[in-house]
Amino acid sequence: MSGENWRQERKTLLATLGPPLFWLTLFFLVPLAVVWAYSFGRNVGLTEIEISGTFANYAQAIQPLYLGIFFKSIVMAAACTVICLVAGFPVALAITFAPDKVKAWLLLAVMLPFWTNLLIRTYALIAVLRDEGYINLTLGWIWKQVGLVLNVPPFVPLEMLHNNPAVLFGLVYVHLPFMVLPLYAALDRLDRSLIEASLDLGAGHFRTMMQVVVPLALPGILSGVLITFIPALGAYLTPDLLGGPDSQMIANVIERQFKRANDWPFGAALSFLLLYLTFVMVAVQALIQRRRGAR
Amino acid sequence: MSSKPPIISIEGVTKRFGDHAAVDDVSLTINEGEFFALLGPSGCGKTTLLRMLAGFETPTEGTIRIDGKDTDGVPPNRRPVNMVFQSYAVFPHMSVADNVAYGLKIDGVAKAERDRRVEEALALVQLEGFGGRMPDQMSGGQRQRVALARALAKRPRVLLLDEPLSALDAKLREAMRFELASLQHKVGITFVMVTHDQDEALALATRCAVMERGRLIQLATPSDLYEFPNSRFVADFIGTVNMVEGTLKTDNPTEAIIATKELGDVYIDHAVLGNEGATLYLALRPEKISLFRRDGVVPPKLEDCPEGYNVVAGVIDHIAYLGSESVFKVILTNGRQMLVIRPNLTRWDQEDFVEEQPVWLSWHACAPAVLAG
Ligand SMILES: Nc1ncnc2c1ncn2[C@@H]1O[C@H](COP(=O)(O)OP(=O)(O)OP(=O)(O)O)[C@@H](O)[C@H]1O
Ligand SMILES: [Mg+2]
């Protein structure tokens, strides 16, 4: 069907596009605009906000304290992305080259966490990592067996919860599928005969990987990185539940402004700084893709 | 011929995917410097056999020797063969020169020598000066030549080509066919080419292996495949043929008679060496049949149709004028349809033979190939 036809059929167009457009406007754009307006306002009274056009909230948001938290969030999200990439690439590769029957199951295994509530997954992680969790129970049992033969001090549970590594672990756990799926999509599209040609010309598997597979999968790698980094940057539940007092990320700070601190204008300003950061990254990615495409 | 050992020897090779034998007990040898063609209908196992030579598939049974060495367990990157893929598989993220240099870099060829050999390989396929281009700036035929140059630059003992011309249009395919042949002459490397295009195989190959459903049916020079097919399958697959079923009536050391329903008794000027009454097939090529006008009921004049010729009567049903020759569809009196090809030797040749014209069909006693199955 050509675009001309669609344009002529105004009514059909309106009927199909209308409801989602209406929905998006009412429940996404309007609230977003409201929050955006709040970011230029100030609190007058407990529930009243005056939109005064002030930049004070943004000025406060770029104070060292908050910049530090921004920076920390970026570092955590970046570390999470790198780990996801390093761990996800072999997984995506394995899925790509698995026999068709196995492939479907492997993909399902990657997708399954998506369909489980984040809260449940995070609590499950706590059950694994806490002092009386499954890892410590197992280690303790092994320690006890060793203790039967050797003279060892009593077992002290490993502290694996409420610290930065726990948050990072949680972030990786939650975001790995975001990385694996675009990587898989890119690798699956790759013409197998290119890999065979590389082998045929004398390259080993490692060389083929670095000089043929990775460069050709680069668009997929880029979108995987972006798709992982952006939600990791705004992670809220994971640092909240798995982190310690020094593990808070920017989303936790924002949440506090809207709730306990009751400073909506400042929370709004922080939110929008985060949003701008995201826009910049998406723009950079689009630019890189365009450059590659133009070549 | 030469006393050199074969460069490739395939001994009893079978490849099964599940319980389906894609290649079934194939044995053959390929000599140094040959242009060898693997020919057969789609799905007959040509690509699978070629991929086993390259090392991308492992034989289920049997041995493949390249240059006298057993290839069992030798990965593709350690074999003295290179492949030109059907899809070309030119690396899209590298320039043409980088593509050609890829294999040389791996071999540790020094930069200066490498550049020289890249230039040389590009010159060989007539792509001088294209080194700086990216593959997506090249046409299909040019990309195909990049793939050729890339494989040739490595100076392999054997070049494997999987339907190298199939993605090109008819005109370019014809041109590339000649280029491939002259290229092979120039470099003297053994070529093994897969094709399902019989013209391509006949035009290029020194020898052809015809495969059907994984099995090797016949291995012969192109002219032997055409003139001396060993089976109905080969006779039918290579070129066009009039196939007639009959039974052996008389079999002497110097002549034989085969009784057919459609052509009557057919005289053959050599022994058939079969049991009398056995079912046989006559494969009669259209250009081996002569046409004569049949205006009365008398057979053609004796000087036109000498002793030892077979003659049957028919009527021209349809003529396809192809310029250099004409193809006649002739219906015999018993309803059987025969194809006859007649070169247009003079410019008024076609005037004698028009549709509805009664004709005699005549062929020499040695013209049909007699096939047992
Ligand atoms: N990896 C594979 N797994 C399962 N079956 C396969 C595989 N590769 C090939 N086959 C089967 O083996 C048979 C021979 O395949 P092959 O590709 O060798 O045919 P081909 O002669 O090259 O045909 P074409 O002219 O169509 O390329 C086919 O029936 C095909 O379905
Ligand atoms: Mg094939």
Side-chain angles (χ1 to χ4, degrees):
Chain A
M1 227 165 292
S2 74
E4 282 302 307
N5 264 343
W6 275 110
R7 219 164 294 149
Q8 282 161 10
E9 307 247 357
R10 278 246 174 101
K11 273 186 196 150
T12 324
L13 192 68
L14 222 61
T16 42
L17 276 186
L21 224 57
F22 178 72
W23 182 271
L24 266 179
T25 314
L26 198 63
F27 296 106
F28 177 68
L29 288 180
V30 169
L32 203 66
V34 169
V35 175
W36 186 70
Y38 280 173
S39 73
F40 299 102
R42 70 190 174 92
N43 271 348
V44 292
L46 216 54
T47 52
E48 223 172 306
I49 295 165
E50 182 202 18
I51 314 289
S52 57
T54 174
F55 280 89
N57 297 311
Y58 287 98
Q60 190 187 353
I62 55 171
Q63 275 173 4
L65 173 64
Y66 297 108
L67 277 188
I69 291 174
F70 261 113
F71 181 71
K72 169 155 193 164
S73 303
I74 290 173
V75 169
M76 288 295 263
C80 162
T81 306
V82 169
I83 295 173
C84 280
L85 182 59
V86 171
F89 200 83
V91 175
L93 217 55
I95 298 176
T96 308
F97 290 99
D100 281 346
K101 252 192 217 149
V102 184
K103 200 184 248 184
W105 289 105
L106 289 177
L107 276 173
L108 189 71
V110 173
M111 300 279 283
L112 217 51
F114 264 152
W115 301 330
T116 317
N117 186 290
L118 176 60
L119 204 58
I120 294 174
R121 275 187 285 161
T122 310
Y123 274 110
L125 214 54
I126 291 176
V128 172
L129 295 177
R130 65 184 167 167
D131 282 3
E132 315 80 42
Y134 296 115
I135 293 180
N136 273 321
L137 281 180
T138 312
L139 287 176
W141 183 82
I142 295 171
W143 196 259
K144 218 166 89 189
Q145 305 309 310
V146 175
L148 294 177
V149 208
L150 296 169
N151 196 9
V152 287
F155 177 69
V156 185
L158 294 179
E159 277 188 37
M160 289 177 292
L161 212 52
H162 304 306
N163 51 25
N164 287 330
V167 174
L168 191 56
F169 184 78
L171 286 178
V172 168
Y173 168 68
V174 169
H175 293 100
L176 197 58
F178 288 100
M179 182 62 92
V180 171
L181 292 179
L183 284 184
Y184 163 74
L187 290 174
D188 200 51
R189 264 203 315 268
L190 202 119
D191 183 359
R192 302 290 166 89
S193 62
L194 291 174
I195 296 172
E196 290 186 342
S198 171
L199 294 173
D200 185 68
L201 290 164
H205 281 94
F206 182 72
R207 192 179 194 122
T208 301
M209 190 61 58
M210 298 316 288
Q211 302 205 342
V212 177
V213 178
V214 169
L216 289 174
L218 214 53
I221 293 174
L222 251 152
S223 40
V225 163
L226 207 64
I227 280 182
T228 310
F229 184 80
I230 290 173
L233 185 62
Y236 160 69
L237 204 57
T238 309
D240 195 43
L241 292 179
L242 301 179
D246 68 331
S247 308
Q248 57 180 334
M249 289 170 66
I250 193 65
N252 305 104
V253 177
I254 293 173
E255 184 247 10
R256 215 167 328 116
Q257 303 314 317
F258 280 98
K259 286 188 176 163
R260 254 172 291 165
N262 195 22
D263 191 350
W264 284 35
F266 182 48
L270 284 175
S271 301
F272 267 88
L273 275 187
L274 188 61
L275 199 60
Y276 296 146
L277 205 63
T278 312
F279 282 159
V280 168
M281 286 183 303
V282 174
V284 166
Q285 192 237 10
L287 220 71
I288 296 176
Q289 297 284 48
R290 173 113 41 102
R291 282 250 311 270
R292 285 178 57 87
R295 218 185 35 195
Chain B
M1 285 192 358
S2 74
S3 57
K4 273 203 226 159
I7 181 101
I8 289 176
S9 113
I10 296 170
E11 295 155 21
V13 165
T14 296
K15 175 69 187 180
R16 283 196 197 89
F17 294 110
D19 50 4
H20 166 76
V23 172
D24 193 358
D25 194 21
V26 168
S27 297
L28 57 89
T29 58
I30 299 171
N31 298 318
E32 183 111 48
E34 255 195 299
F35 197 135
F36 194 91
L38 283 168
L39 185 61
S42 186
C44 71
K46 310 176 295 282
T47 298
T48 306
L49 189 56
L50 199 74
R51 287 171 59 81
M52 284 194 280
L53 295 179
F56 295 125
E57 307 278 1
T58 327
T60 315
E61 283 162 35
T63 313
I64 294 176
R65 272 177 237 282
I66 298 176
D67 215 7
K69 287 183 275 292
D70 191 343
T71 58
D72 190 33
V74 181
N77 49 345
R78 301 256 150 77
R79 297 189 180 203
V81 303
N82 281 119
M83 185 141 163
V84 176
F85 291 81
Q86 181 167 0
S87 56
Y88 313 151
V90 172
F91 301 127
H93 59 301
M94 296 181 196
S95 70
V96 167
D98 285 344
N99 260 285
V100 179
Y102 188 80
L104 299 175
K105 266 186 212 155
I106 294 162
D107 289 350
V109 179
K111 175 102 174 69
E113 163 78 355
R114 203 164 68 213
D115 289 348
R116 202 184 54 71
R117 272 171 68 176
V118 168
E119 271 311 302
E120 184 188 279
L122 285 178
L124 213 52
V125 296
Q126 297 167 22
L127 281 182
E128 297 107 323
F130 281 79
R133 289 233 201 155
M134 294 306 284
D136 57 10
Q137 302 170 320
M138 316 271 291
S139 73
Q142 289 172 328
R143 247 177 283 176
Q144 205 263 350
R145 284 189 258 184
V146 175
L148 261 174
R150 184 176 69 180
L152 286 172
K154 293 265 295 180
R155 299 190 183 146
R157 299 297 307 275
V158 181
L159 189 71
L160 308 172
L161 305 109
D162 191 359
E163 312 225 5
L165 308 181
S166 64
L168 309 179
D169 63 62
K171 200 96 182 192
L172 196 55
R173 188 154 62 217
E174 202 120 320
M176 280 303 288
R177 204 183 272 173
F178 285 110
E179 281 188 33
L180 261 189
S182 77
L183 191 65
Q184 202 254 348
H185 267 285
K186 263 190 269 179
V187 294
I189 293 173
T190 310
F191 277 28
V192 180
M193 181 181 76
V194 160
T195 177
H196 61 242
D197 181 339
Q198 39 137 334
D199 289 343
E200 203 168 290
L202 296 187
L204 286 171
T206 49
R207 280 194 309 156
C208 291
V210 180
M211 292 177 67
E212 188 205 10
R213 278 188 265 142
R215 298 187 149 273
L216 175 64
I217 305 293
Q218 188 170 9
L219 201 175
T221 62
S223 64
D224 278 0
L225 276 187
Y226 188 80
E227 308 291 3
F228 303 97
N230 69 356
S231 59
R232 274 188 294 163
F233 172 75
V234 174
D236 220 16
F237 188 71
I238 312 280
T240 38
V241 73
N242 297 294
M243 193 71 69
V244 182
E245 192 181 327
T247 50
L248 185 56
K249 193 167 160 190
T250 317
D251 192 12
N252 295 325
T254 54
E255 62 169 359
I257 296 173
I258 294 165
T260 70
K261 260 208 217 81
E262 292 160 330
L263 304 180
D265 283 0
V266 174
Y267 294 89
I268 306 290
D269 69 353
H270 55 81
V272 169
L273 304 179
N275 296 324
E276 263 170 47
T279 303
L280 293 173
Y281 299 90
L282 295 170
L284 191 51
R285 298 287 185 197
E287 76 284 357
K288 306 243 178 339
I289 303 176
S290 309
L291 272 189
F292 300 95
R293 283 174 69 105
R294 174 166 65 95
D295 297 313
V297 282
V298 288
K301 282 175 279 170
L302 222 55
E303 60 266 33
D304 285 341
C305 183
E307 188 91 35
Y309 271 72
N310 295 280
V311 180
V312 290
V315 175
I316 296 178
D317 182 54
H318 182 76
I319 304 169
Y321 175 73
L322 300 181
S324 61
E325 64 193 25
S326 293
V327 181
F328 296 83
K329 199 167 96 188
V330 177
I331 306 286
L332 303 186
T333 38
N334 58 23
R336 157 87 197 205
Q337 176 191 313
M338 297 286 280
L339 284 182
V340 180
I341 293 178
R342 190 165 176 281
N344 292 319
L345 297 177
T346 69
R347 288 163 62 196
W348 47 89
D349 246 16
Q350 39 297 350
E351 288 165 14
D352 266 357
F353 297 98
V354 293
E355 283 170 19
E356 311 293 333
Q357 168 69 42
V359 287
W360 296 106
L361 271 60
S362 155
W363 61 92
H364 193 268
C366 71
V370 184
L371 306 170

